Amino acid sequence: MHSFHYKQVDGRNTLHCEDVDLQALAEEHGTPLYVYSKATILDHYRRLDAALGGRPEGGKSGSSDALVDHLICFAVKANSNLAILNLLDHEGAGFDIVSGGELYRVLRARAEREKEGPASDCTFAGVGKSYEEIKLALNEGIYCFNAESEAEVAYIDSVAGALGKKAPVALRVNPNVDAKTHKYISTGKSENKFGIDFEVVRDAYARAAKLEHITLRGIQMHIGSQLTSVEPFVEAVKKVAPLAEELKSAYGIEFFSIGGGIGIVYQDSLASGEAGWWKQRDSGENTPLTIEKYAQTLVPLLKPLGLRILLEPGRMIVGNAGALVTKVLYEKKGAAKTFEIVDAGMNDLIRPALYEGHHDIVPVTPAPDSQGDGSGSSVPVDIVGPVCESGDFLAQDRVLPPMEQGDYLAVLSAGAYGFVMASNYNSRPLPPEILVDGGKSRVIRERQTYHDLVRGETIPR
Ligand code: LLP
C-alpha cells in the first residue's frame, strides 16, 4: 500500500502523506523531517499476517487455525521509534532485537500494557552479545537467543548458570545461499560473518544440548536483506527444513525462524501507485514478489514441519511507509554537473552513500507545468547534502523538474534504515519524526537541539 500521493490544494498539486499536506508539515516543523504513514505500516503488517493464515479477532498471531502457526517478530533495527513499536505491539507483533538498547525500546514501547513477560515474544539476534545484554534479556524472560557461534552459546550458558537460569537458544544456520542482493546486506553466504556453517551446525547442536543452562528452542536463518525474488528464500528453506525436522525430533525444538529480507520497490514507487507498489524487479524480468507470493510459496514448504514459524521482517513493514522531507538550499552549476544542495545529508539518510541505495526523490509541490511526479523534466542533477564529504549525496545524475531555493523535496521509501542509521556527523542534530494517521500528524520524536548535541560532554579542569 502506498500513502504518499499528490492532492490538489488551492489549485496546486501537493504531496500528501495520507491526508496530511507535506508542504504544511515542513513549514510547521522545519526540515529535514521524517514522516511515516500509520496506515501503510498497518497494511503491510496485516497483509503478511493474513497471508500466513491470520488470527482470530483480537487474538495473537500464530493461532491454531492459521495456515501456518507463526509469529511475526518485527526487526527493530529497521525503525525503532517507540510509537512505531507500540503500533506493531498492538497488532500482536513480537520483536527481533539485536542489542540491549533495542530490548529497552521494546520494553518502553510496551510499558503501559499489562503484559506477561514483555520479552516473551522477542528474539535476540546478532553476533556479539555482551554480558550485560545477555543478563538483561534473561532477566526480562526473552523468548530466545539466536546464537551465531559456539563460543557465544558457551558464554550464554555460563551467564545463565551464574544467574541460576536456563537460557533458551536457537542456532543461526548459515545455509550458504546467494541472496542476490547488495554485498553489504547479504548474510547467508559462507564468507559472511553470520551464523554457523550448515555443514557443522548439527554437531554444534549436539554440543549445545549437553550444556546445563541451555534449552534448545529453535533454529534460525536470515540470508540477506532487500531480496527481490522468492527463489533464494525457497532454496534456503528447502536446505534447512529437513535439518529443522531432525532437530525437532532430537531436541524438541519448537520453532524455525526464516528471518527477514523481503525486498521493497525503491524505484518508480510513486508513479506505480497502489497496484504496482509491490512490483519487484526479479532478475530483470519484472516478476512481482508480493507478500502473497512470498507466503504462498513458502507456507507449503514450512507447514508440514509442524513447527512454529518465526519471521523477522523489517524493511517490508516500514520501508515504503516513510519519507524524508528536505529543503533546497542552493543550486550550484559546476563545470561537470549541476548540484542541488539540500538540508538533509548522509548523516540523515546514509543508504545512498553506503549501499548505493536508490531512493526516488520527488518535489513536494511541483511547478504547475511539470508532471507532478518528477518526470516532466530536463537536466540531470545531483541532490547533495551539506556534509563535508564527496559521498554525501542522496541521488546522482537524477532527472528532476527544475527547482528553486526553498522548494521542498521528498526522499521516498525512507521508513526503514533511515532515521535509525542517522548520526550527528558534522554536529548536525537528528531530525524529528512524525507519524501521520489520516488527517492527523503527531511528533513522535522531537528534533534534537544543540544542547542535546553536547549532553554528557565535559571539559576537564
Ligand atoms: N533478521 C536479521 C537477523 C537481520 O540481520 C535483519 C537485517 C533482519 C531480520 C531484517 O531484514 P529486513 O526484513 O529489513 O530486510 N541497513 C541496510 C539493511 C541491513 C539489514 C541488516 N539485517 C539497508 O539500509 O539496506
Side-chain angles (χ1 to χ4, degrees), residues 6 63 67 140-141 154 276 379 417:
Y6 288 104
S63 65
L67 267 179
E140 294 297 340
V379 253
Y417 308 109

PDB file of all heavy atoms in Angstrom, residues 6 63 67 140-141 154 276 379 417:
ATOM      1  N   TYR A   6      -0.137  12.815  -4.620  1.00  0.00           N
ATOM      2  CA  TYR A   6      -0.436  14.239  -4.814  1.00  0.00           C
ATOM      3  C   TYR A   6      -1.927  14.502  -4.682  1.00  0.00           C
ATOM      4  O   TYR A   6      -2.747  13.690  -5.106  1.00  0.00           O
ATOM      5  CB  TYR A   6       0.052  14.685  -6.195  1.00  0.00           C
ATOM      6  CG  TYR A   6       1.560  14.764  -6.274  1.00  0.00           C
ATOM      7  CD1 TYR A   6       2.291  13.782  -6.939  1.00  0.00           C
ATOM      8  CD2 TYR A   6       2.243  15.818  -5.669  1.00  0.00           C
ATOM      9  CE1 TYR A   6       3.675  13.853  -6.994  1.00  0.00           C
ATOM     10  CE2 TYR A   6       3.624  15.887  -5.719  1.00  0.00           C
ATOM     11  CZ  TYR A   6       4.339  14.910  -6.383  1.00  0.00           C
ATOM     12  OH  TYR A   6       5.707  14.979  -6.425  1.00  0.00           O
ATOM     13  N   SER A  63      -2.332 -18.519  15.702  1.00  0.00           N
ATOM     14  CA  SER A  63      -3.444 -19.305  16.188  1.00  0.00           C
ATOM     15  C   SER A  63      -3.429 -20.682  15.538  1.00  0.00           C
ATOM     16  O   SER A  63      -2.805 -20.891  14.512  1.00  0.00           O
ATOM     17  CB  SER A  63      -4.754 -18.591  15.862  1.00  0.00           C
ATOM     18  OG  SER A  63      -4.904 -18.538  14.469  1.00  0.00           O
ATOM     19  N   LEU A  67      -2.964 -20.849   8.691  1.00  0.00           N
ATOM     20  CA  LEU A  67      -2.369 -21.675   7.645  1.00  0.00           C
ATOM     21  C   LEU A  67      -1.085 -22.277   8.164  1.00  0.00           C
ATOM     22  O   LEU A  67      -0.767 -23.420   7.973  1.00  0.00           O
ATOM     23  CB  LEU A  67      -2.061 -20.805   6.430  1.00  0.00           C
ATOM     24  CG  LEU A  67      -3.105 -20.705   5.348  1.00  0.00           C
ATOM     25  CD1 LEU A  67      -2.622 -19.797   4.250  1.00  0.00           C
ATOM     26  CD2 LEU A  67      -3.445 -22.091   4.809  1.00  0.00           C
ATOM     27  N   GLU A 140      14.577 -10.396  31.664  1.00  0.00           N
ATOM     28  CA  GLU A 140      13.285  -9.974  31.099  1.00  0.00           C
ATOM     29  C   GLU A 140      12.520 -11.146  30.494  1.00  0.00           C
ATOM     30  O   GLU A 140      11.449 -10.956  29.926  1.00  0.00           O
ATOM     31  CB  GLU A 140      13.498  -8.877  30.041  1.00  0.00           C
ATOM     32  CG  GLU A 140      14.036  -7.562  30.607  1.00  0.00           C
ATOM     33  CD  GLU A 140      13.075  -6.884  31.594  1.00  0.00           C
ATOM     34  OE1 GLU A 140      11.866  -7.191  31.579  1.00  0.00           O
ATOM     35  OE2 GLU A 140      13.558  -6.042  32.383  1.00  0.00           O
ATOM     36  N   GLY A 141      13.113 -12.332  30.510  1.00  0.00           N
ATOM     37  CA  GLY A 141      12.407 -13.515  30.005  1.00  0.00           C
ATOM     38  C   GLY A 141      12.320 -13.569  28.487  1.00  0.00           C
ATOM     39  O   GLY A 141      11.250 -13.834  27.932  1.00  0.00           O
ATOM     40  N   ALA A 154      28.393 -21.034  24.536  1.00  0.00           N
ATOM     41  CA  ALA A 154      29.092 -21.368  25.786  1.00  0.00           C
ATOM     42  C   ALA A 154      29.000 -20.201  26.769  1.00  0.00           C
ATOM     43  O   ALA A 154      28.796 -20.379  27.969  1.00  0.00           O
ATOM     44  CB  ALA A 154      30.548 -21.710  25.490  1.00  0.00           C
ATOM     45  N   GLY A 276       0.784  -1.230  -8.363  1.00  0.00           N
ATOM     46  CA  GLY A 276       2.135  -1.650  -8.711  1.00  0.00           C
ATOM     47  C   GLY A 276       3.129  -1.552  -7.573  1.00  0.00           C
ATOM     48  O   GLY A 276       4.312  -1.749  -7.766  1.00  0.00           O
ATOM     49  N   VAL A 379      17.169  18.544 -16.982  1.00  0.00           N
ATOM     50  CA  VAL A 379      18.587  18.276 -16.691  1.00  0.00           C
ATOM     51  C   VAL A 379      18.813  17.302 -15.548  1.00  0.00           C
ATOM     52  O   VAL A 379      18.186  17.412 -14.507  1.00  0.00           O
ATOM     53  CB  VAL A 379      19.295  19.586 -16.250  1.00  0.00           C
ATOM     54  CG1 VAL A 379      20.218  20.103 -17.319  1.00  0.00           C
ATOM     55  CG2 VAL A 379      18.292  20.581 -15.724  1.00  0.00           C
ATOM     56  N   TYR A 417      15.677   1.766   7.905  1.00  0.00           N
ATOM     57  CA  TYR A 417      17.112   2.049   7.858  1.00  0.00           C
ATOM     58  C   TYR A 417      17.389   3.501   7.444  1.00  0.00           C
ATOM     59  O   TYR A 417      18.383   3.794   6.794  1.00  0.00           O
ATOM     60  CB  TYR A 417      17.841   1.046   6.939  1.00  0.00           C
ATOM     61  CG  TYR A 417      17.520  -0.386   7.293  1.00  0.00           C
ATOM     62  CD1 TYR A 417      16.719  -1.186   6.470  1.00  0.00           C
ATOM     63  CD2 TYR A 417      17.965  -0.927   8.488  1.00  0.00           C
ATOM     64  CE1 TYR A 417      16.395  -2.492   6.819  1.00  0.00           C
ATOM     65  CE2 TYR A 417      17.649  -2.228   8.853  1.00  0.00           C
ATOM     66  CZ  TYR A 417      16.871  -3.005   8.010  1.00  0.00           C
ATOM     67  OH  TYR A 417      16.546  -4.290   8.369  1.00  0.00           O
TER      68      TYR A 417
END
